[in-house]
Amino acid sequence: MPRKLLLIVIVLVGVGCDARTHLIATPTIALGERGREAFDAVPSDQRVQSMRIIYAADRDIVKKTPLGIQYGSGRSGQLAVGVASIGMDRAMDWDDLVTASTQQRWPESGGRRPAMRIESTEEIGRIAIPLKEMGVLDGRYQLNDAQKAEVEQTRDRLHALIREGLKDTDKKDVYLYVHGFNNTFEYALYRLSMFWHFAGRPGVAVAYTWPAGRGGLTGYAYDRESGEFTVFHLKLFIRALAASPDIERLHIIGHSRGCDVVCTALRELNIEARAKNLRTQEQLKLHNLVLAAPDLDADVFEQRFAIEDLHLAAKRTTIYLSKTDFALAASAWLFGGNRVGNLTPENFSPDARQKLAQLKSFHIVNCNVSGYSTSHDYAFAHPAVTSDVILLLRDDRNPGADHGRPLGSEFEGMWEIDNDYLLPAPAAAGGK
C-alpha cells in the first residue's frame, strides 16, 4: 500500500471513538460564575449526575443485557426510539459535579476527568417498520393496521417524553444531534450528553444514531453508504419531532458525514414542503442548523444551499470549518474536490464574498484552534469552539461582539475563532 494511502486510511480509521470516552475539557463559557449561572437554571429533577437522552437508531441489535440494548454498526430496517441514561464512572452529588464542571482542572484523580458510561437503554417503540414485516397490497408495500397503530403509539410516547423534558423550562427547545463516520451508538450519546451538560442541560437532547462505526479498511466506505441508507429514517424522525405540540424550536446539529445525512434529508423535506407551497422552516420549527466539520463536497453543497435554497430551511444556518482538519483532508484526497469543512477564506472569491454578505441568516465560522483531542471534533471538544456553539444554540446569539459572540471577522459572513476566544484579558504587569 502506498505510504500516502496508508496515512489516509490511518486518519480515517482513527478519527472515531476511543474505548473509554472521558468528559471533555470545560468550555470557556462554562468556567466560574458564568457556568454556575447556567447550572443554577437546571430544573430540579435534572440536578443529578445521570442525564436522560432520547435516541433514535436504525442500527442492528447485537445483544440485550440487564442494562438494556447493545446496538452495533449493522443496518436495521426499523427505526427504534428509546431513552438512555448517561452517567460517569465516579459518583458525586450535584453540588460537587457543578463545582468540578466549572473548573479548568478536574479536582480529583490528579486532574483526570471521569469517563462516560451508559447506565441503561430502553426502547419505547418503532417509527419505521422493516420491509420484511410489511405486506403487499394493490401492488405496493404497505403497513397493516396493527403496524400503523404501533408507529402512532411510538410518536405519542416520543411526544410524551418531550413534554416531560420541557415541562419546567420556558424555552421549549429540542437539540437533535446527528453524528459522523466511525461513531458507535455509545460514542454518539456520549458526545451529545457532554455538550448538553456543559450548556446547562437546556431543553431536551436527542441523538439520532445511524449505522456507522464498523472500522477497518472499508469502514469509511461502509459508513458513507450507511449515510444514504439512513436518510429515509431521518426524514421520518424529523417529521415526528416537528409534530410534537410542545416543541417551539428545533435545532439540528450535524457533524462530519452526519452533515451530509442531515442536508440530504432536509433537501428532500424542503422539496416536499415547497411542492405544497409551504415553508420548511415553519413546518419543521427549524431554528438553527449547525454543520460542524462538514464532510460535504463543496460543489454539491453549493447546489443544495444556493441554487435549491436549502439555506432557507432553517431560520439560521452556521457552518464551523477548519483548514487543519486532517480527516477532511483525507476525505478530499479519496474523493477529489474540496470539502466544505476544509475551506479557507482564500477559497472565497470577491464575488462569492459579496453574495455571502447578503445572506443575513447564513454564517461561516473559521476555527483557527489547536489542541484538545483531534483536529476533526473541535466543535464538541475544544473549549473555545464549544463555547461558541453553546452561545449560538442555547442563548440564540448572532455572531459579533454586539450580540455577545465576540468573534473576529474575516469578511462579512465569515467569522474567526481562536484558542483565546472568551478568555479574560490578562492583567497588566506591574499595575494595581
Side-chain angles (χ1 to χ4, degrees):
M1 182 181 291
R3 286 186 64 187
K4 188 169 184 179
L5 178 57
L6 177 61
L7 177 61
I8 297 300
V9 170
I10 290 172
V11 170
L12 288 176
V13 170
V15 171
C17 50
D18 300 319
R20 284 170 64 82
T21 301
H22 292 271
L23 195 66
I24 60 172
T26 301
T28 309
I29 194 67
L31 291 172
E33 288 305 313
R34 287 186 298 185
R36 285 190 171 276
E37 289 177 4
F39 284 117
D40 286 345
V42 173
S44 58
D45 63 343
Q46 293 186 27
R47 296 187 181 188
V48 292
Q49 180 176 285
S50 298
M51 290 169 277
R52 187 179 72 168
I53 304 293
I54 299 173
Y55 70 84
D58 54 0
R59 296 172 176 265
D60 64 343
I61 295 176
V62 175
K63 62 180 178 180
K64 296 186 178 182
T65 72
L67 295 180
I69 300 168
Q70 182 179 334
Y71 295 94
S73 59
R75 299 167 190 162
S76 171
Q78 67 181 20
L79 180 65
V81 179
V83 183
S85 177
I86 312 298
M88 303 172 196
D89 67 353
R90 56 185 101 143
M92 63 190 80
D93 63 25
W94 178 251
D95 289 339
D96 289 340
L97 178 60
V98 170
T99 297
S101 297
T102 54
Q103 298 181 33
Q104 284 184 317
R105 183 176 175 82
W106 202 262
E108 300 176 1
S109 305
R112 184 185 69 83
R113 291 180 169 261
M116 309 300 293
R117 65 187 183 92
I118 291 185
E119 299 172 334
S120 66
T121 55
E122 179 185 1
E123 288 188 359
I124 63 169
R126 300 183 296 178
I127 280 184
I129 306 297
L131 184 67
K132 64 183 180 181
E133 296 182 26
M134 298 172 66
V136 176
L137 180 65
D138 297 328
R140 296 176 56 205
Y141 283 94
Q142 297 189 40
L143 302 180
N144 60 39
D145 289 343
Q147 291 166 336
K148 292 177 182 177
E150 178 186 356
V151 170
E152 194 62 35
Q153 288 170 0
T154 302
R155 287 198 188 99
D156 291 343
R157 291 168 184 160
L158 171 64
H159 294 171
L161 286 173
I162 292 170
R163 185 179 308 113
E164 175 66 19
L166 295 176
K167 64 181 175 61
D168 293 324
T169 178
D170 293 333
K171 292 184 178 180
K172 309 301 183 181
D173 292 7
V174 166
Y175 304 88
L176 174 62
Y177 171 66
V178 183
H179 62 75
F181 73 92
N182 201 24
N183 274 218
T184 63
F185 171 82
E186 293 82 4
Y187 188 71
L189 268 64
Y190 294 158
R191 177 63 70 199
L192 173 60
S193 61
M194 290 187 290
F195 172 82
W196 189 59
H197 169 69
F198 282 114
R201 307 189 182 190
V204 171
V206 182
Y208 183 91
T209 173
W210 48 281
R214 172 175 287 188
L217 295 180
T218 61
Y220 184 78
Y222 175 82
D223 286 4
R224 186 181 176 88
E225 294 202 338
S226 287
E228 297 177 6
F229 162 82
T230 200
V231 166
F232 170 69
H233 290 152
L234 179 57
K235 286 168 54 182
L236 293 180
F237 190 63
I238 291 174
R239 286 198 199 102
L241 285 175
S244 167
D246 296 281
I247 297 177
E248 294 180 359
R249 301 191 304 183
L250 174 64
H251 311 275
I252 300 180
I253 310 102
H255 181 228
S256 185
R257 283 304 301 172
C259 294
D260 183 68
V261 174
V262 167
C263 290
T264 305
L266 287 179
R267 173 182 180 268
E268 295 184 10
L269 290 169
N270 193 43
I271 291 171
E272 292 173 13
R274 292 173 67 178
K276 299 175 183 177
N277 201 29
L278 299 172
R279 294 189 65 201
T280 307
Q281 184 184 135
E282 295 174 354
Q283 294 299 301
L284 302 182
K285 306 174 183 177
L286 187 51
H287 195 75
N288 276 300
L289 172 61
V290 173
L291 304 178
D295 188 2
L296 276 167
D297 181 271
D299 293 330
V300 174
F301 179 82
E302 285 182 0
Q303 286 183 342
R304 292 177 178 177
F305 273 77
I307 300 175
E308 294 188 297
D309 286 335
L310 192 55
H311 67 283
L312 300 177
K315 184 175 182 180
R316 176 170 50 209
T317 298
T318 306
I319 300 174
Y320 290 89
L321 50 79
S322 169
K323 66 180 180 181
T324 60
D325 190 325
F326 299 122
L328 294 187
S331 177
W333 184 87
L334 281 175
F335 299 106
N338 291 323
R339 314 311 283 176
V340 174
N342 259 157
L343 296 177
T344 67
E346 292 71 32
N347 291 116
F348 294 81
S349 67
D351 179 65
R353 296 184 182 198
Q354 188 271 332
K355 291 174 180 175
L356 182 62
Q358 299 179 55
L359 305 179
K360 301 304 182 182
S361 62
F362 186 86
H363 309 291
I364 300 173
V365 181
N366 184 27
C367 300
N368 292 320
V369 297
S370 59
Y372 301 96
S373 195
T374 74
S375 67
H376 190 54
D377 64 357
Y378 52 87
F380 308 101
H382 196 285
V385 186
T386 304
S387 294
D388 192 64
V389 180
I390 290 173
L391 287 173
L392 165 66
L393 294 176
R394 183 194 67 192
D395 298 344
D396 196 31
R397 296 183 185 274
N398 277 317
D402 292 345
H403 304 293
R405 285 174 63 198
L407 297 161
S409 179
E410 297 276 10
F411 52 83
E412 192 170 357
M414 176 175 270
W415 303 83
E416 181 184 26
I417 189 169
D418 59 23
N419 285 357
D420 295 330
Y421 180 63
L422 296 178
L423 287 176
K432 290 186 178 181

